[in-house]
């Protein structure tokens, strides 16, 4: 089956066509970064309007890129949660409209399930390995950071082992970049600068160093960087800026890697899967690869473009329901919340579990 994926949950309008085995035939992403930049954050109303303007052309481009027409499509998958309400509605309405007019099945997909499934996508240039259940998955994006045990393709098969109590990992990258006057999104900029820095030149605290907790907290590390800047001023030389970026990134990466491999060992699984924008980080990819090798774990990392928001991952996350003949049709509704299991209590304070 060929599946059209549509994603409009935040600040990217995306459409993609994939085959149900994960082969990506086209993958179009229109980003709104420039639109929101003057406001220093995403303006929901502007996001919805821009999605409305671009969603049709982006879908048409995805079909054109795949050399296909809507007649070739067997089903539609669209992000229906979590995200900005107005933005999600744009994707859902066009998906419903297309499905109704073409008599196609349509399924709603949880955006986080998309990130989780991105490791199954096959691009012409990537290898053919795909992860097998059960595995431990790290999802680290701009709005979400959590470790899950995954036993199957349904959201009911996904159990949270621990999530962030405050900032998501990507949010920490974005806030630190903003603090250093580097622009948005901060992740790719810090990634580039850190590659040429020496992390040992700046001493920053380790976030949540507790041995047995799979919960995260990145807001203390961000405050640590802020305090460093207050004491020393903004780095005036290129080299000191790179050292600071390297020190910050190393702390984030160490934490993500240590907890992911610990979770896999404690769940007695042999496979680790990563996803979300932060999974595009070069240091995270390299460090996780060597840590997994050390512990005899097999690592699945999506291609960098499949880590950040895209519609191919949404299409794949909807594929197994579409292939088994399911359709949400009229029952397809929007929600700002994820369906995934969530156990971590947000905010500061002591927890009963050791941290
Ligand atoms: O998954 P995503 O595209 O959107 C959400 O669902 O949130 O993730 C975006 C986040 C941003 O915070 C961005 O700074 C971060 O992913 N990001 C990175 C890198 N590329 C994107 N963080 C670290 N290193 C990168 N190379
Ligand atoms: Zn995302």
């Amino acid at each position: 089956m060929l599946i059209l994926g549509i994603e409009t949950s935040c600040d990217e309008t995306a459409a993609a066509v994939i085959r149900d085995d994960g082969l990506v035939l086209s993958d179009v992403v229109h980003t709104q970064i420039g639109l929101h930049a003057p406001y220093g954050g995403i303006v929901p109303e502007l996001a919805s309007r821009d999605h409305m303007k671009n969603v049709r052309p982006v879908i048409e481009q995805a079909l054109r890129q795949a050399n296909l027409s809507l007649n070739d499509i067997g089903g539609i998958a669209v992000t229906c949660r979590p995200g900005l309400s107005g933005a999600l509605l744009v994707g859902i309405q066009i998906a419903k409209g297309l499905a109704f007019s073409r008599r196609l099945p349509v399924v709603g997909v949880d955006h986080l399930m998309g990130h989780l499934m991105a490791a199954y996508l096959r691009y012409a240039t990537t290898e053919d390995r795909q992860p097998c259940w059960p595995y431990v998955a790290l999802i680290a994006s701009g709005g979400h950071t959590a470790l899950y045990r995954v036993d199957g393709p349904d959201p009911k098969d996904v159990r949270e082992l621990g999530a962030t109590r405050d900032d998501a990992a990507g949010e920490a990258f974005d806030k630190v970049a903003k603090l250093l006057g580097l622009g948005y999104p901060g992740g790719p900029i810090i990634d580039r600068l850190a590659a040429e820095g020496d992390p040992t030149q700046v001493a920053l605290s380790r976030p949540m160093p507790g041995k047995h907790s799979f919960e995260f907290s990145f807001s203390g590390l961000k405050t640590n960087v802020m305090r460093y800047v207050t004491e020393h001023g903004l780095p005036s030389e290129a080299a000191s800026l790179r050292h600071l970026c390297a020190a910050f990134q190393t702390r984030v990466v160490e934490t993500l890697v240590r907890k992911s491999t610990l979770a896999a060992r404690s769940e007695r699984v042999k496979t680790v899967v990563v996803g979300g924008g932060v999974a595009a980080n070069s240091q995270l990819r390299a460090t996780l690869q060597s840590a997994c090798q050390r512990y005899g774990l097999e690592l699945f990392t999506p291609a960098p473009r499949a880590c950040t928001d895209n519609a191919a991952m949404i299409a794949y996350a909807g594929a197994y329901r579409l292939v088994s003949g399911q359709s949400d049709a009229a029952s397809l509704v929007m929600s700002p919340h994820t369906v995934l299991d969530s156990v971590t209590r947000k905010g500061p304070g002591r927890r009963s579990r050791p941290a």
Side-chain angles (χ1 to χ4, degrees):
M1 183 190 271
L2 297 181
I3 297 153
L4 171 68
I6 302 171
E7 154 67 42
T8 63
S9 68
C10 192
D11 60 345
E12 256 103 31
T13 317
V17 180
I18 69 154
R19 213 168 58 187
D20 58 22
D21 63 352
L23 183 75
V24 180
L25 303 179
S26 69
D27 179 11
V28 179
V29 179
H30 164 82
T31 180
Q32 300 179 353
I33 287 173
L35 177 70
H36 301 289
Y39 307 94
I42 295 165
V43 184
E45 183 57 29
L46 290 183
S48 319
R49 288 185 202 188
D50 201 63
H51 284 310
M52 276 181 22
K53 196 169 90 193
N54 291 303
V55 73
R56 274 189 61 151
V58 164
I59 291 172
E60 282 161 8
Q61 199 184 334
L63 289 167
R64 228 180 8 256
Q65 238 180 46
N67 256 326
L68 296 167
S69 81
L70 272 175
N71 297 331
D72 304 304
I73 299 297
I76 301 173
V78 61
T79 308
C80 64
R81 61 199 311 160
L84 302 169
S85 307
L88 284 164
L89 281 173
V90 176
I92 292 175
Q93 291 309 71
I94 196 154
K96 278 184 172 180
L98 288 174
F100 181 74
S101 65
R102 299 279 166 162
R103 295 178 203 283
L104 287 171
V106 57
V107 293
V109 169
D110 190 298
H111 182 82
L112 297 179
M113 283 304 289
H115 279 308
L116 226 148
M117 296 286 167
Y120 288 85
L121 295 175
R122 305 159 191 245
Y123 291 82
T125 50
T126 53
E127 49 183 324
D128 245 7
R129 288 183 321 140
Q130 285 183 319
C132 297
W133 303 293
Y135 52 78
V136 158
L138 167 72
I139 303 300
S141 70
H144 197 78
T145 293
L147 277 164
Y148 296 102
R149 180 192 167 98
V150 185
D151 286 289
D154 193 273
K156 286 200 259 340
D157 304 318
V158 180
R159 181 164 60 82
E160 186 194 289
L161 302 172
T164 181
R165 295 176 176 184
D166 41 57
D167 292 347
E171 191 179 354
F173 271 97
D174 296 336
K175 287 180 174 171
V176 166
K178 190 171 180 181
L179 175 75
L180 299 175
L182 298 175
Y184 179 89
I189 306 171
I190 292 183
D191 193 351
R192 265 196 312 277
L193 292 167
E196 290 163 26
D198 174 1
T200 63
Q201 298 292 316
V202 182
L204 296 176
S205 62
R206 283 203 162 75
M208 297 255 319
K211 263 208 168 88
H212 301 293
S213 170
F214 299 131
E215 295 183 359
F216 302 92
S217 168
F218 293 108
S219 91
L221 178 62
K222 171 198 66 192
T223 310
N224 217 219
V225 175
M226 203 184 302
R227 200 172 303 130
Y228 179 88
V229 169
T230 310
E231 277 169 26
H232 299 84
L234 275 173
S236 52
E237 290 166 21
S240 45
L241 176 64
R242 291 190 189 115
H243 297 331
L244 183 56
C245 288
F248 163 75
Q249 182 173 284
T250 298
R251 286 290 183 247
V252 176
V253 166
E254 276 171 0
T255 308
L256 295 174
V257 169
R258 189 171 52 78
K259 297 203 180 210
S260 305
T261 49
L262 188 66
R265 285 179 293 143
S266 95
E267 288 295 315
R268 299 181 192 287
V269 299
K270 286 270 154 231
T271 305
V272 174
V273 170
V274 290
V278 180
N281 185 270
S282 49
Q283 188 181 354
L284 176 64
R285 295 168 83 90
T287 314
L288 201 50
Q289 183 60 56
S290 44
C292 283
Q293 240 157 31
R294 195 160 57 246
Y295 294 117
L297 298 163
E298 195 179 6
L299 175 68
F300 289 85
T301 322
R305 70 163 302 149
C307 293
T308 47
D309 286 351
N310 66 86
M313 67 183 194
I314 302 301
Y316 190 79
Y320 86 100
R321 289 190 58 217
L322 288 167
V323 167
S324 64
Q326 298 180 44
S327 179
D328 294 332
S331 65
L332 175 52
V333 287
M334 175 279 297
S335 165
H337 307 294
T338 180
V339 279
L340 290 193
D341 175 42
S342 167
V343 294
T344 299
R345 182 159 65 79
K346 300 287 174 191
R350 291 181 72 81
R351 305 295 197 273
S352 48
R353 273 196 283 168

